[in-house]
Structures are given as C-alpha cells and as structure tokens.
Amino acid sequence: MSASEISALTRLRTQTRDALTALNARERRILVGGALLVALTLVWLLYSWQAGMRHQLDTSVPRASAQLARMQSESAELARLHSVQPPAPADLAQLAGTLTSSSAAHGLSLNVRNDGNQLVVSGKGVNFDSWVQWLAETQHTNAIRLTYIDVTQASGGAQLEARLAPL
C-alpha cells in the first residue's frame, strides 16, 4: 500500500470513530444490533449456498461417474468392433436360389433374381401378410435388408417389387 492509501484509511477510521462517539448509547446499540443482524444474515446466506452446492454435487457426481463408465464401456465396444473382420461378401446367386425355394415353401410365387449387388424380388397376386412374414424370416436368417419396395394393390392380390441387399 502506498502512503496516500494508508493516510486515506487512517482518515476514514478517524471519521468513523468520531461519528460513533457522537452517537448516544441507544443509537450505538441499534447500530451494533443492525451490524450483527447483517453479519448473521451473510453467514446464513453463505451456509445455505454451501449446503445447496453440496446437495448439487451429491447428485451430479454419481451421474457423471455413471456417464463416464458408460462412455468407457462404449469406447471398449468400439475398439472391439474395429478389430472385428468384416463378413465375407454374400454369394447372391446362391442366395437367390435359397430365397426362391424359401418363398415357395411359404406358398408365395415370387421371382428372385440377382441384379449384381442386390436381389430383386417380384411377384403378382401375392398375399401381402404372408410376404411380410417371409421377409422378416428371410432378413433374420440370411442377413439381408430391404432397400426398396413398391407395392400395388391388384384384384388378385398385391403386386410387388422389392430390392434386398446383403448387410
């Protein structure tokens, strides 16, 4: 602190002491009581803020720990998936034959042909409910997915064209 700051503080302290001595005893008691009330209020506010922060930390720290554990397990799963070799490409010609025989076994008259990188399934007069069940089983057992479908309602049943691609 510089000399001018020290002299300003000394002057302020002197003025405060003079102002307090100029007050009568009742005014001093009121002023001390008010100062005590302000100090107690500040202590209470500080305590309630600290208690609120502690409660917030008690709830947020376990949540953050659980989030960290989940992120670590997901990271380990990603590392494992990166090390897994991709499956061999599907033999679409063989798969077309399998799907043709499978559709016949379900009572569906479908034409299944290989279109290079996907299978095109088409049919007329198809029972749509049976076709949906067949498709679900086919997707599950042969690791293929539906990429396109066009269904038109005809008088003898649904007319459809679908494209299936390996996963």
Side-chain angles (χ1 to χ4, degrees):
M1 291 181 123
S2 67
S4 63
E5 291 173 343
I6 293 174
S7 66
L9 286 175
T10 304
R11 191 172 42 247
L12 181 64
R13 189 179 312 141
T14 305
Q15 289 172 350
T16 305
R17 186 178 28 228
D18 291 344
L20 286 175
T21 55
L23 298 175
N24 63 31
R26 181 172 183 251
E27 291 171 334
R28 276 192 294 249
R29 281 194 308 264
I30 291 173
L31 189 62
V32 169
L36 184 61
L37 185 62
V38 168
L40 288 175
T41 302
L42 288 175
V43 168
W44 179 78
L45 287 173
L46 181 64
Y47 175 76
S48 85
W49 173 79
Q50 181 264 342
M53 288 293 110
R54 181 177 300 237
H55 177 69
Q56 185 179 0
L57 281 174
D58 287 345
T59 58
S60 64
V61 168
R63 187 179 313 129
S65 296
Q67 212 171 16
L68 175 64
R70 187 175 63 246
M71 287 172 61
Q72 287 173 336
S73 69
E74 289 172 354
S75 174
E77 178 66 12
L78 279 174
R80 186 191 71 76
L81 289 175
H82 281 296
S83 66
V84 172
Q85 296 296 324
D91 182 9
L92 292 179
Q94 180 184 0
L95 191 55
T98 303
L99 294 185
T100 302
S101 63
S102 170
S103 67
H106 280 79
L108 300 169
S109 58
L110 298 176
N111 179 22
V112 181
R113 63 183 165 82
N114 182 357
D115 192 20
N117 60 351
Q118 60 186 354
L119 298 173
V120 179
V121 179
S122 58
K124 292 183 180 179
V126 176
N127 180 339
F128 192 72
D129 292 336
S130 299
W131 183 80
V132 169
Q133 289 177 353
W134 171 81
L135 179 64
E137 291 174 16
T138 301
Q139 286 179 315
H140 179 70
T141 57
N142 297 302
I144 57 174
R145 62 184 169 89
L146 181 67
T147 59
Y148 170 82
I149 184 169
D150 181 28
V151 180
T152 308
Q153 181 62 37
S155 61
Q159 177 180 347
L160 62 91
E161 179 178 327
R163 298 180 191 276
L164 304 172
L167 293 179

